Amino acid sequence: LTPRSTQSLLPETPLPRSAERLTAGVYGAGGLRRSLLEDSRRVRLAGPSATIISGQEATTRVTSDAGSLIGKSAASAGVTVQRRTPIVTDPRVRGSRVGQLVASGSYWVPARMDLDTMLSKIDSRLIADMLVVKGPYSSLYGPGWNFLDMELLKSPRFSNGFESHGSSSTDYQTNGEQFYGRQSLWGGDDRWGYRLGYGFRTGNDYETGSGAMLPASYKSGTLDATVGWDLSPDAHLDVSYLRLDQADVEFPGQIFDLNFLTTDAIEANLL
């Protein structure tokens, strides 16, 4: 039997050349330099089957969730994604998918295996960088062990004493009238720092190239908070809290939709 060809219900929008030049100007055409990573994470990149994705691409490539960042990044060779909705992206690392991948050292349980994913719960603007370890592969045994290692944005430090800053940003896409607004605050001094932000996304039905309308509306809000202290010159503690609230998320081609979903997550790192 000849396999039937498939394509995404929501095709990717080609990245404009101006955005490609901006991306290359921010962190180079080859992606984020490995020398900028911590030693413990740099070791995981040994071998040709591991790549690194910079979180800065989330802005220049207009991504939504963490899976969308993987799909649009120029550094994610060998990784494909399935766009279930504009804010739900299912990554496929050498055939492995939801239920076979872990992220940031923990397993983010989806509401349903055919609906949301672990990466759709994380706003791409909250990621500092992401390591994609694809593992070994052979024609006899198939793919080996693979995983995603995400580094969330940490609390900042300021060597000249206490400082506080803020920023507001807005994205808008005409197809589906998709709006994204984000407010961020951060500050601290040379011994401690904080980061607080809230982002809200909303969109309506998606219009295909043939003019057909796909039910893909959604409402999604993300609250993030991070506080960090320097316990000693060699010990640093960062505590992060994430909350996701989604409502009226429609999945084209699926029987079920998401009326309301809430996710709370706490992460603590002692380095």
Side-chain angles (χ1 to χ4, degrees), residues 15 23 77 79 119 161 177 186 240 260-262:
L15 189 68
T23 299
V79 181
L119 294 186
E177 300 176 339
W186 65 93
S240 301
F260 187 77
L261 178 144
T262 299

Side-chain angles (χ1 to χ4, degrees), residues 194-246:
Y194 71 90
R195 187 183 302 274
L196 178 66
Y198 180 78
F200 181 76
R201 300 179 184 272
T202 183
N204 296 321
D205 293 346
Y206 184 93
E207 183 179 359
T208 66
S210 61
M213 302 299 295
L214 295 179
S217 61
Y218 60 88
K219 298 182 182 70
S220 179
T222 303
L223 172 67
D224 63 281
T226 300
V227 181
W229 301 270
D230 295 339
L231 305 179
S232 70
D234 300 320
H236 314 279
L237 175 64
D238 272 86
V239 180
S240 301
Y241 169 73
L242 300 179
R243 179 179 176 88
L244 172 68
D245 292 294
Q246 292 183 342

Side-chain angles (χ1 to χ4, degrees), residues 47-259:
S49 61
T51 58
I52 177 173
I53 299 174
S54 172
Q56 297 177 2
E57 293 187 72
T59 302
T60 58
R61 298 183 182 275
V62 193
T63 61
S64 56
D65 59 334
S68 176
L69 175 60
I70 295 177
K72 291 186 176 182
S73 173
S76 58
V79 181
T80 60
V81 298
Q82 179 196 53
R83 296 186 65 196
R84 298 180 177 176
T85 78
I87 60 171
V88 177
T89 311
D90 181 13
R92 310 293 174 87
V93 182
R94 284 186 172 173
S96 299
R97 50 176 300 181
V98 176
Q100 300 170 302
L101 296 173
V102 294
S104 193
S106 61
Y107 178 57
W108 296 60
V109 181
R112 283 180 58 107
M113 298 293 288
D114 57 340
L115 296 181
D116 66 323
T117 70
M118 60 177 184
L119 294 186
S120 68
K121 300 176 181 293
I122 304 175
D123 194 324
S124 59
R125 306 296 176 92
L126 305 180
I127 298 176
D129 56 69
M130 185 184 309
L131 308 185
V132 182
V133 180
K134 292 173 284 187
Y137 187 91
S138 70
S139 58
L140 179 61
Y141 299 105
W145 185 59
N146 43 57
F147 64 94
L148 307 173
D149 182 7
M150 285 183 297
E151 184 80 7
L152 300 177
L153 291 174
K154 296 181 178 180
S155 56
R157 298 292 187 274
F158 301 94
S159 58
N160 296 325
F162 180 80
E163 296 183 22
S164 62
H165 304 270
S167 69
S168 301
S169 61
T170 301
D171 293 339
Y172 181 76
Q173 300 182 55
T174 57
N175 195 342
E177 300 176 339
Q178 301 180 60
F179 168 82
Y180 174 66
R182 182 166 186 80
Q183 177 66 46
S184 300
L185 302 173
W186 65 93
D189 56 22
D190 59 336
R191 297 290 303 275
W192 74 281
Y194 71 90
R195 187 183 302 274
L196 178 66
Y198 180 78
F200 181 76
R201 300 179 184 272
T202 183
N204 296 321
D205 293 346
Y206 184 93
E207 183 179 359
T208 66
S210 61
M213 302 299 295
L214 295 179
S217 61
Y218 60 88
K219 298 182 182 70
S220 179
T222 303
L223 172 67
D224 63 281
T226 300
V227 181
W229 301 270
D230 295 339
L231 305 179
S232 70
D234 300 320
H236 314 279
L237 175 64
D238 272 86
V239 180
S240 301
Y241 169 73
L242 300 179
R243 179 179 176 88
L244 172 68
D245 292 294
Q246 292 183 342
D248 303 327
V249 182
E250 294 183 310
F251 288 79
Q254 298 287 351
I255 300 177
F256 299 98
D257 296 326
L258 286 178
N259 292 331

